[in-house]
């Protein structure tokens, strides 16, 4: 096939890099793309524009650019449109003269230093392929939204000799455009893009990864990928409603599979299969609820043919919802798949009624006779069965949408998982219309009827939108709908899933915006990106459109621009004042100049997450004595839970919090007030700390030792704020105090105030603690039944926020063996989350949400732990301890190390396997007798200053003796 090419005369050395820019019917943006190459800080770069036989002015623009930049820009034109990106890239590659080659799409741009950074890395490392960070730029975003493409791959410069060393790069970054290739490498390996098929990037990138002798990644942005979310014209790869689109994707993946199979790279293929199930397949599943039955059937057929050869290990790596969707798709079980897809799109949504069998929870009650399917359908680990209604995000399926006169008739069905809402519950509900952009208005309408019907709660509402719905019409074009459901006073909020209801068959609803009908005169239903019902204000009729055009022109006039500029300035000032940096500056420059409020004490426990621990014990001692102090407690999160009603509460990092700290006479906490906030000299900081140390802390940690001098100095300044540091033993002095460089004069050898109640309980075990007694009643513990507490240390996982904690022993086996003798309380670390199966209900109870662990310690007849510092506290009760150190080598030999050898000093049996653990629990009296002497030695060594009067001694010293109380 002949190719038309316009080649100006050029001389001199070959370019360092040839950038192949492909274009098809994109004349308006082509110049910007080419200029991003010509403006590179690396000057010796050529541009080859490959036009895929455009029908617009693209080739003329390309020729003009070539004429304007002779020797730097060349233009070629394919004789016929190839229908994809592969062929024009291949033609450009064939014409390239550079030592290296890059690819650029006409609607995207290169970062200014991209070529220089990529070339320098290639020359320095000798890599065949160098890849940099791509950033998706949302061109229709009002706020300049930009999202890095798999940024964790590009956090630092690294070079690998084989792609097998970095499977994530192979399966996630499949772009060809954020990379620089050595041209001889491509030619020698005959690497080109496939012809006549979409998703050519996937195959080309996979082949180049596999052929490369060396690959380098650099932590620099090199490529700006333009994305338009609101466009109605879908790109080729986004036309997922066309079945050929899926056919092409599968064919590309089959070709990649064949290459991997020939090379014997089974492990790399497994990573690719997992990614296909988690990502590629999900892209199409998201659209299934809106496509017809013929498409669904053909899609399921194709998917089944490809997925049937996937290994079980690929499914085992999925979270439950992904695996359920893949399984149900192969069965063409649309009734159960559509709700599963809803959950896939809206993570955390409970979309199915669920089924409980033999103490486990399943997505549905079908397929449970098949052991393999039963395992896939098991969603016990998601913990839905243990959530109260208030914490449930329920599927609310729209079953009818109609317009009758001025009324919009809505009907729906809210799933009722495991009959969480009982049949006799008193039900009420209302619909809320809320503008997607911030608005001063919210409209609420009562739901006419709501009742139980099978596994759902069906509802009906007649909404008078024409009469009572009065939007502004200017900044509130899109309105989302929510249903607020109350059952016996408990409330849950759901969005309305459109599903298969045809919204287009009903007439638009006439409305009267407050800014006149020039802004809008109709309200049309639409489906949100996550499948939920929404409404959009629109204009119908030529007069209305002319009026809106007039308003829009005025909105973009000079006066409007001035007002918008002032508004944006005010918003920027507000954002600036709310920023952490500005708050810290104002705290130091202004708030710390305010006078100290004598008698004011700011308390904080675990960074504001709890009302607990030694700060709680000190607060209650102050309150018991009725001393004239003003107590202020900080809390983290949206709202405080469990804090004393008579204390002033301030949200952490709020302005009230900063002012309270700036003016307080005392700071009391157990972890650390924000490091960036300096303490004034008039304020006394009592650091109670939160436990003796098993694992190395502070400056003893290796990562602290490698800090820069400035980082170490900043950290030390934060520690120097402590005026007093509470210790409970000389072990704390040798470990914690030394690790945090606390001088002798600041140490308070009083013991921990939180442990006073434990010491007293050990002295008088026959007198029950009131708080422990109330807790036992609330948990429904059986009187006279022995209680075990399992309290493991923190277990970290990848990602942010709360991590799931997988129980390291079979709780069902435990319940079956000991349920008649013991009740097991499970309290994971507050940054972990545990899920227990229904089968162990009443025999094993999750108490992680209990803020204060002390009442739990008092309830427990024995403690099971691993390496948690709770061992030092519980030992004070002189009750049996059992240690489950199933991963001791991994824990003790990591980079941090430990201060003591638990296996040598443990005041109880150390079980290394589940069988050893259960055997130790079989005879706890024998454990107590066997380890009585060692337990006493352990308490004497690690709790020597815990004498039951720590709170009283600290209050006496800093707030006055008991006799001085009012």
């Amino acid at each position: 096939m002949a190719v038309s090419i316009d080649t100006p005369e050029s001389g001199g050395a070959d370019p360092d890099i040839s950038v192949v820019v492909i274009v098809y019917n994109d004349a308006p943006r082509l110049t910007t793309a080419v200029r991003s190459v010509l403006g590179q800080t690396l000057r010796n770069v050529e541009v080859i524009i490959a036009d895929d036989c455009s029908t617009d002015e693209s080739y003329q623009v390309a020729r003009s650019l070539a004429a304007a930049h002779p020797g730097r820009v060349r233009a070629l034109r394919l004789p016929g449109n190839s229908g994809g990106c592969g062929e024009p890239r291949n033609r450009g590659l064939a014409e390239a003269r550079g030592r290296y080659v890059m690819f650029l799409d006409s609607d995207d741009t290169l970062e200014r230093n991209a070529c220089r950074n990529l070339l320098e890395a290639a020359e320095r490392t000798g890599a065949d392929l160098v890849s940099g960070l791509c950033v998706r730029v949302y061109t229709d975003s009002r706020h300049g939204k930009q999202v890095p493409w798999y940024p964790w791959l590009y956090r630092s410069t690294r070079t690998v000799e084989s792609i097998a060393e970095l499977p994530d790069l192979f399966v996630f970054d499949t772009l060809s455009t954020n990379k620089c290739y050595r041209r001889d490498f491509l030619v020698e390996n005959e690497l080109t893009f496939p012809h006549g098929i979409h998703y050519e990037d996937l195959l080309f990138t996979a082949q180049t990864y596999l052929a490369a002798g060396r690959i380098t990644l650099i932590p620099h942005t090199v490529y700006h990928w333009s994305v338009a979310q609101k466009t109605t014209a879908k790109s080729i790869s986004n036309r997922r409603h066309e079945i050929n689109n899926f056919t092409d994707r599968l064919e590309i993946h089959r070709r990649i599979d064949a290459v991997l199979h020939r090379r014997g790279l089974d492990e790399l293929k497994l990573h690719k299969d997992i990614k296909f199930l988690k990502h590629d397949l999900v892209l199409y599943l998201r659209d299934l609820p809106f496509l017809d039955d013929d498409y669904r059937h053909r899609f399921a057929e194709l998917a089944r043919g490809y997925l049937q050869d996937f290994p079980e290990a690929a499914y085992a790596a999925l979270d439950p919802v992904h695996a359920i969707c893949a399984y149900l798709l192969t069965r063409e079980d649309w009734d159960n798949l559509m709700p599963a897809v809803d959950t896939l799109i809206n993570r955390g949504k409970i979309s199915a009624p669920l089924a409980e069998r033999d103490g486990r929870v399943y997505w549905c009650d079908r397929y449970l006779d098949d052991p393999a399917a039963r395992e896939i359908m098991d969603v016990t680990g998601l913990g839905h069965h243990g959530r109260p209604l208030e914490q449930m995000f329920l599927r609310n399926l729209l079953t009818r949408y109609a317009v009758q006169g001025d009324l919009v008739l809505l009907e729906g069905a809210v799933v009722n998982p495991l009959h969480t809402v009982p049949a006799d519950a008193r039900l009420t509900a209302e619909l809320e219309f809320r503008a997607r952009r911030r608005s001063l208005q919210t409209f609420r309408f009562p739901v006419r009827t709501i009742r139980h019907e099978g596994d759902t709660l069906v509802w009906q509402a007649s909404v008078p939108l024409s009469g009572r719905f009065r939007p502004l019409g200017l900044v509130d074009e899109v309105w989302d709908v929510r249903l607020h459901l109350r059952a016996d006073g408990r409330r849950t909020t759901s969005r309305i899933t459109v599903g298969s209801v045809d919204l287009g068959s009903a007439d638009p609803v006439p409305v009267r915006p407050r800014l006149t009908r020039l802004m809008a005169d109709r309200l049309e239903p639409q489906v949100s990106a996550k499948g939920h019902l929404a409404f959009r204000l629109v204009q119908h009729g030529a007069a209305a459109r002319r009026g809106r055009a007039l308003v829009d022109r005025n909105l973009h006039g000079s006066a409007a621009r001035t007002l918008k500029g002032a508004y944006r300035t005010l918003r920027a000032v507000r954002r600036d004042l709310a920023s952490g940096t500005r708050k810290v500056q104002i705290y130091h420059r202004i708030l710390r100049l305010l006078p100290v409020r004598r008698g004011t004490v700011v308390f904080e426990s675990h960074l504001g997450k709890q009302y607990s621990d030694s700060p709680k014990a000190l607060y209650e001692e102050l309150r018991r004595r009725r001393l004239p102090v003003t107590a202020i407690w900080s809390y983290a999160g949206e709202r405080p839970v469990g804090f004393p009603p008579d204390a002033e509460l301030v949200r952490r990092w709020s302005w009230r919090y900063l002012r309270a700290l700036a003016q307080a006479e005392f700071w009391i906490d157990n972890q650390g007030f924000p490091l960036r906030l300096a303490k004034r000299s008039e304020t006394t900081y009592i650091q109670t700390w939160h436990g003796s140390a098993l694992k190395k802390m502070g400056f003893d940690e290796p990562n602290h030792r490698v800090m820069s001098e400035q980082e170490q100095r900043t950290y030390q300044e934060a520690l120097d704020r402590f005026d007093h540091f509470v210790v409970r033993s000389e072990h704390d002095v040798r470990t914690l105090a030394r690790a945090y460089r606390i001088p002798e004069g600041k140490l308070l050898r009083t013991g921990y105030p939180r442990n006073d109640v434990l010491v007293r309980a050990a002295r008088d075990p026959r007198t029950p603690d009131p708080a422990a007694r109330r807790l036992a009643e609330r948990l429904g513990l059986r009187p006279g039944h022995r209680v075990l507490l399992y309290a493991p240390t923190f277990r970290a996982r990848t990602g942010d926020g709360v991590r799931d904690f997988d129980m390291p022993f079979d709780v069902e086996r435990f319940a079956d063996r000991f349920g008649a003798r013991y009740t097991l309380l499970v309290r994971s670390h507050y940054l972990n989350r545990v899920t227990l199966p229904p089968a162990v209900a009443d025999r094993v109870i999750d108490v992680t949400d209990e803020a204060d662990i002390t009442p739990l310690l008092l309830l427990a007849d024995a403690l099971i732990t691993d390496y948690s510092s709770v061992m030092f506290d519980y030992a004070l009760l002189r009750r049996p301890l059992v240690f489950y150190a199933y991963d001791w080598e991994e824990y003790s030999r990591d980079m941090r190390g430990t201060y003591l050898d638990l296996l040598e000093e443990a005041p109880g049996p150390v079980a290394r396997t589940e069988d050893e653990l259960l055997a130790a629990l079989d005879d706890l009296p024998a454990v107590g007798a066997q380890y009585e002497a060692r337990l006493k030695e352990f308490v004497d060594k690690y709790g020597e200053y815990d004498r039951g009067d720590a709170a009283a001694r600290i209050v006496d010293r800093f707030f006055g003796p008991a006799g001085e109380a009012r």
Side-chain angles (χ1 to χ4, degrees), residues 871-905:
M871 71 176 77
F872 299 106
D873 304 310
Y874 188 79
L876 298 170
L877 289 166
R878 310 298 177 100
R879 300 173 190 172
L881 288 91
V882 177
F883 296 85
Y884 188 30
Y886 60 94
D887 58 351
W888 170 249
E889 283 77 11
E890 177 186 349
Y891 187 87
S892 63
R893 294 176 185 174
D894 71 0
M895 290 183 64
R896 278 179 65 179
T898 60
Y899 287 121
L900 59 95
D901 187 338
L902 180 66
L903 302 187
E904 292 294 326
E905 296 193 52

Side-chain angles (χ1 to χ4, degrees), residues 353-369 374 377-380 385 418-419 455 812 837-840:
L354 308 179
E356 185 178 337
R357 297 287 187 278
D358 305 320
R360 306 291 294 178
V361 177
Y362 300 92
W363 184 258
C364 61
D365 55 9
R366 296 184 66 182
Y367 316 110
L368 298 186
D369 293 336
R374 189 183 183 98
M377 294 293 146
D378 193 331
V379 292
T380 309
H385 58 280
L418 301 174
H419 299 281
D455 292 324
E812 294 184 59
V840 301

Side-chain angles (χ1 to χ4, degrees), residues 428-447:
T428 59
E430 65 177 358
L431 290 171
E432 177 191 79
F433 284 66
R434 181 188 300 175
R436 189 168 295 174
R437 288 179 65 182
R438 187 171 299 174
S439 172
L440 299 177
Q441 301 182 101
T442 296
F443 298 93
R444 295 174 182 263
F445 304 93
V447 169

Side-chain angles (χ1 to χ4, degrees), residues 148-342:
W149 186 251
Y150 299 115
W152 80 84
L153 292 169
Y154 296 98
R155 287 178 181 152
S156 61
T157 299
R158 53 179 160 175
T159 299
V160 295
E161 305 295 327
S162 166
I163 190 62
E165 298 177 32
L166 192 56
D168 277 0
L169 181 63
F170 182 85
V171 300
F172 288 109
D173 187 358
T174 56
L175 300 177
S176 65
T177 49
N178 61 333
K179 298 171 177 61
C180 180
Y181 312 86
R182 188 166 58 82
R183 184 165 64 90
D184 288 346
F185 156 71
L186 295 178
V187 173
E188 291 164 6
N189 288 277
E190 299 180 346
L191 293 169
T192 59
F193 291 86
H195 303 266
I197 189 169
H198 301 320
Y199 301 108
E200 63 287 321
D201 264 25
L202 273 67
L203 180 58
F204 176 79
T205 305
Q207 291 174 324
T208 55
Y209 280 148
L210 292 168
R214 181 172 295 166
I215 301 168
T216 294
L217 278 65
I218 61 174
H220 304 295
T221 298
V222 299
Y223 197 86
H224 293 130
W225 176 4
S226 298
V227 179
Q229 288 183 305
K230 301 173 185 177
T231 181
T232 56
K234 298 290 186 182
S235 65
I236 292 173
S237 60
N238 282 329
R239 296 173 191 165
R240 291 186 287 271
H241 60 285
E242 300 174 0
I243 197 64
N244 288 339
N245 182 285
F246 187 54
T247 303
D248 281 1
R249 188 183 286 266
L250 292 185
E251 175 59 26
I252 288 291
H253 274 274
R254 285 193 171 97
R255 295 185 191 183
I256 296 172
D257 293 343
V259 175
L260 294 173
H261 179 71
R262 287 196 300 271
R263 292 172 173 262
L265 297 172
D266 295 339
E267 189 66 26
L268 202 56
K269 182 180 182 301
L270 175 60
H271 283 277
K272 190 197 74 69
D273 290 344
I274 294 169
K275 191 256 187 177
F276 181 89
L277 292 169
K278 283 185 173 182
H279 175 74
D280 299 64
L281 186 63
V282 171
L283 292 175
Y284 296 86
L285 289 174
R286 293 169 65 97
D287 294 333
L288 279 188
F290 313 107
L291 299 172
D292 59 40
D293 290 341
D294 289 341
Y295 178 95
R296 291 181 186 179
H297 174 67
R298 181 64 181 138
F299 174 76
E301 255 188 343
L302 291 168
R304 184 164 51 244
Y306 183 58
L307 299 180
Q308 64 185 1
D309 296 326
F310 274 36
E312 289 185 8
Y315 291 95
L318 303 179
D319 63 41
V321 177
H322 279 96
I324 287 168
C325 285
Y327 181 86
L328 294 174
L329 175 64
T330 61
R331 299 298 186 276
E332 294 197 50
D333 183 353
W334 308 114
D335 290 340
N336 286 304
L337 175 58
M338 291 301 103
V341 171
D342 198 1

Side-chain angles (χ1 to χ4, degrees), residues 583-592 658 662 667 677-678:
K583 284 183 173 181
V584 170
Q585 290 175 347
I586 294 176
Y587 170 85
H588 287 106
R589 296 176 183 176
I590 299 176
L591 297 181
R592 287 209 313 159
L658 296 176
W667 291 2
L677 301 181

